Amino acid sequence: MFTAMPFLWAITTSFKDVNAVQGHVTYVPWLEFEPTLEAWRQIFGGAGGVNLVGPFVNSLIITVCASAIAIVLGALAAYGLSRFRYRIGPAKNKDIVFFFVSQRIMPPVVLVIPFFFLLQMPGLLDTRLGLIIVTVALLLPIAVWVMVDFFDNIPREIDEMAMLEGCTPMQAFLRAIVPNSAPGLTVAAMFCAVFGWNDFFFAFRLTFTQVQTLPQAVVALNSSIPPWWTLSAAALFGIIPLLVLAVLVERYLSKGNLAGAVR
């Protein structure tokens, strides 16, 4: 109930008008209030509303591209850290993995100024490409962290058998390891999609007028008198893609969570 009640409140509120919202709290349509689609019309460019389709497309492109790049680079880095031994001064493999994870520990406000100047020099501020580059940097530690642990649970004998058959380490990775790591890749991709889709701070600070993501657009709907019906519809519109993705990959998420539990 603690998890479901906010969703129930948002769903019912998105089908109310201003009079129903300002009255006493109601949940049952047709019995306690007359439902209307006015809030949903407003988020798609109806009278007095704002069109969220453009920000939705921007968020979709940025999240998909950044997640795909982060998964590819993260899987390669994680495989190398899982199968080979590195040493950079006193730092070994575990220290390198911790370095990746530590990038998520730093407060975003520490990173936004360097990112701003790095994007300003090549003219990538307020562009999709600029946000994709920044988002990849934010998602890569997540992909490496998840995939290193998963690759560690895949027997090394699989790699050795593939290389005995004439595969190079890269061919062994692509032909033998990747097909057996679909659950882990799915878990990493889900994490990347969630963090990439929900990012607000960097999109807010690194874009101005040309590019607006969905979290920015939803926040922009707020005012001195919050239009709760429109905000509820916009919030539900924003989480629908993640809900659909979670339903589609649920069986892989279950396998990924149990990977390594049974030998």
Side-chain angles (χ1 to χ4, degrees):
M1 290 299 295
F2 180 80
T3 303
M5 283 304 294
F7 286 98
L8 177 60
W9 181 89
I11 291 171
T12 56
T13 303
S14 69
F15 292 101
K16 295 179 180 179
D17 57 18
V18 59
N19 295 322
V21 170
Q22 291 178 349
H24 64 282
V25 178
T26 55
Y27 291 101
V28 184
W30 287 289
L31 294 179
E32 296 182 314
F33 70 92
E34 187 66 26
T36 176
L37 293 176
E38 182 59 31
W40 291 92
R41 294 191 190 100
Q42 288 182 349
I43 67 172
F44 290 111
V50 60
N51 195 337
L52 297 184
V53 175
F56 178 90
V57 172
N58 288 334
S59 287
L60 186 64
I61 292 174
I62 292 167
T63 302
V64 170
C65 293
S67 298
I69 295 171
I71 289 299
V72 172
L73 296 179
L76 291 170
Y79 179 69
L81 290 167
S82 174
R83 292 299 191 264
F84 305 99
R85 293 294 170 260
Y86 300 96
R87 190 181 185 92
I88 304 175
K92 299 180 181 179
N93 283 44
K94 289 185 178 180
D95 302 307
I96 298 172
V97 173
F98 178 76
F99 169 77
F100 276 103
V101 177
S102 68
Q103 306 309 302
R104 297 294 306 183
I105 298 175
M106 289 188 293
V109 70
V110 175
L111 300 173
V112 69
I113 295 177
F115 279 147
F116 184 92
F117 286 110
L118 287 172
L119 294 182
Q120 186 182 44
M121 288 186 288
L124 293 178
L125 282 175
D126 202 16
T127 64
R128 287 177 180 170
L129 179 58
L131 274 185
I132 290 173
I133 294 172
V134 171
T135 307
V136 169
L138 299 174
L139 300 182
L140 191 57
I142 299 172
V144 173
W145 173 57
V146 172
M147 292 308 301
V148 164
D149 185 63
F150 193 87
F151 287 144
D152 285 342
N153 289 313
I154 297 179
R156 293 176 179 268
E157 288 77 9
I158 295 178
D159 310 57
E160 295 169 357
M161 289 300 297
M163 286 186 276
L164 284 175
E165 294 293 330
C167 291
T168 64
M170 179 58 71
Q171 290 173 332
F173 170 71
L174 294 175
R175 296 181 182 181
I177 301 302
V178 170
N180 287 291
S181 60
L185 290 170
T186 305
V187 172
M190 187 68 189
F191 275 116
C192 289
V194 170
F195 280 98
W197 184 265
N198 290 329
D199 176 64
F200 168 78
F201 182 77
F202 289 101
F204 178 69
R205 293 299 181 184
L206 301 176
T207 60
F208 309 107
T209 58
Q210 299 301 315
V211 177
Q212 186 183 46
T213 61
L214 190 58
Q216 288 177 275
V218 173
V219 172
L221 291 174
N222 207 346
S223 62
S224 56
I225 304 177
W228 296 116
W229 51 98
T230 307
L231 284 172
S232 299
L236 292 171
F237 181 60
I239 66 174
I240 286 173
L242 295 182
L243 289 176
V244 173
L245 180 62
V247 171
L248 293 176
V249 304
E250 183 272 335
R251 63 191 183 100
Y252 291 106
L253 289 174
S254 300
K255 291 180 182 178
N257 289 334
L258 295 175
V262 180
R263 294 281 183 180

